[in-house]
Amino acid sequence: MAKYRRSGLPTRPGTETLPLVAIVGRPNVGKSTLFNRLTKSRRSIVGDEPGITRDRIYGEYEWLGRHFRLVDTGGIVPDDPELIPVEIYAQAKVALEEADALVLVVDARTELASPDYALVKLLIKGGKPVFLAVNKVEGEAMAAAAENFRQLGLRNVFPISSEHGLGIGELLEGISEAIPKPALTAEEAEAVDLQAHDFEAEEDEIYEGSPVAPESDADEHPLHRTHGEFEQHETSVAIIGRPNVGKSTLLNALTGTSRAIVSPIAGTTRDAVDEVVEFEGTQFRFVDTAGIRRKGKTHLMAEKMSVVMARRHLEAADVALLVIDATEGVTGADATIGGYAHESGRSVIILVNKWDAVTKGRTDGKPPADREVFEEQLRRVLKYLHYAPVIFLSALEGTGLGRVLNEVKAVAIERRKRVSTGQMNRFLEKVDFQRAPVPMAKRIRIFYMTQAAVAPPTFILFTDRDIKLHFSFERFLENQIREAFGFKGTPIWFKVRARNAAKKD
């Protein structure tokens, strides 16, 4: 497998040294609401059902000019024997070990119980500053009730309302004071002095009434652009698929971590879990999404929200890894999920997971599956993803993962490829459109083409008639473009602009 390395916690590049604050507590006390408010996001799913958050969710927040990382953990119930709670505790324990400060969230409307005392004992044992956030405090009566939680023995007690933003400032100020500011290095101190000197010089010029000439730094800091689009420094990769096809196992295998909880229970992942990996100089952010299922199959609010969030993370990604369970074959649900990726313009790589279970590890007495036959069936069901490469792998065994990283890198590059108008018109001259299987009434004449956008590559066709492209003609033209220019793994979009319509405009 090709060598790669993780670039620390899943935050923006360069933020790994920021102090980390962990939000912990029992289920359904408002940890995710507090996380979302501080990070100004909707990363964590919020609801009335207990135990919605399971994995670690990372973010960032700023307070009085200082930046912090934040991690939202699943609800901790010490000594819970069930499979998922044990895994949640394991994930939370990692966050406790990484964190510089801990925020224990409790619900002001509930009575203290033995799990609260056990949790406090666990947090104090780590020797890190612990802050007690008594949540859901609205009104004087609740503020008085919050004082009862001092029985837990914690000195830093803050009554707050995550939903309404009350008392949050006092909590953040206490955290900021408890975490010492990092000392500046000699280089950083020199940079600060230079900035101060420049600022004073600029003030003097303004005071004396002389104009301040802006310095030209175009050569020192060139804009990262590619034909009008910003150059990407990070590629977002969404891992999508039905529940229980091995998405979380794949994330853990690709990143070499235990970031996502893995269990045989379908629907274990609810929040999107992400991790950054650096591979051959390129940064990939892998996002493990919840299993997407039909509306009729989702009953709990958390399940419905997780499907909505999975769709959102897919639409925000550059590349989608569509995971298919080899033991179950390609299903209609796989085709539906693949359709979401295709229609939203994501680049797609199809991963046939658990391939070892139907080949060398087969235990049902049937002959090993044939790769060519399986891919032929797959292509028949997912015919609209004809451009997507197919990889057979086993996330559990760790086979085939090297090719995944190589394909993601290649597909991300193809997604942002641009063809010049001159190249496109020379290409048009060589295409024999008489071979296109299109009815005469639907045929059009293309005067010239130009690529209007990338990600996905989008072409404008200047034609003699303003009609919708016939499916057969569009597929023919797409195949010709792919044969000439590639665009592996990405859909190609076409827009028609009639010459007579242009004259009217």
Side-chain angles (χ1 to χ4, degrees), residues 342-343 384 386-387 427-428 431 433 435-439 442-444 446 449 456-461 463 467-483 490-496:
H342 173 74
E343 290 165 9
Y384 51 86
H386 59 95
Y387 53 82
F427 154 77
L428 276 179
V431 177
F433 286 103
R435 295 190 296 113
V438 185
K442 296 290 184 179
R443 287 185 179 272
I444 59 173
I446 302 175
M449 286 175 62
T458 304
F459 295 91
I460 296 180
L461 282 61
T463 63
I467 62 172
K468 189 177 185 302
L469 288 183
H470 189 271
F471 170 80
S472 298
F473 184 86
E474 186 171 319
R475 175 61 63 88
F476 173 80
L477 182 57
E478 179 185 338
N479 289 339
Q480 296 296 313
I481 290 175
R482 291 191 189 280
E483 186 177 333
T490 181
I492 295 176
W493 288 355
F494 295 105
K495 294 181 180 179
V496 175

Side-chain angles (χ1 to χ4, degrees), residues 242 245 323-335 352-353 355 358 374 377-378 381-382:
R242 295 182 292 112
V245 294
V323 184
I324 291 172
D325 189 336
T327 62
E328 298 182 12
V330 189
T331 67
D334 294 320
V352 181
N353 191 27
W355 186 244
V358 295
F374 193 101
Q377 295 171 343
L378 180 149
V381 178
L382 305 176

Side-chain angles (χ1 to χ4, degrees), residues 64 78 90-91 114 128 146 158 218 222 236 267 284 343 480:
L64 298 178
Q91 291 284 328
S114 57
K128 298 173 182 178
F158 298 88
S236 178
F284 301 122
E343 290 165 9
Q480 296 296 313

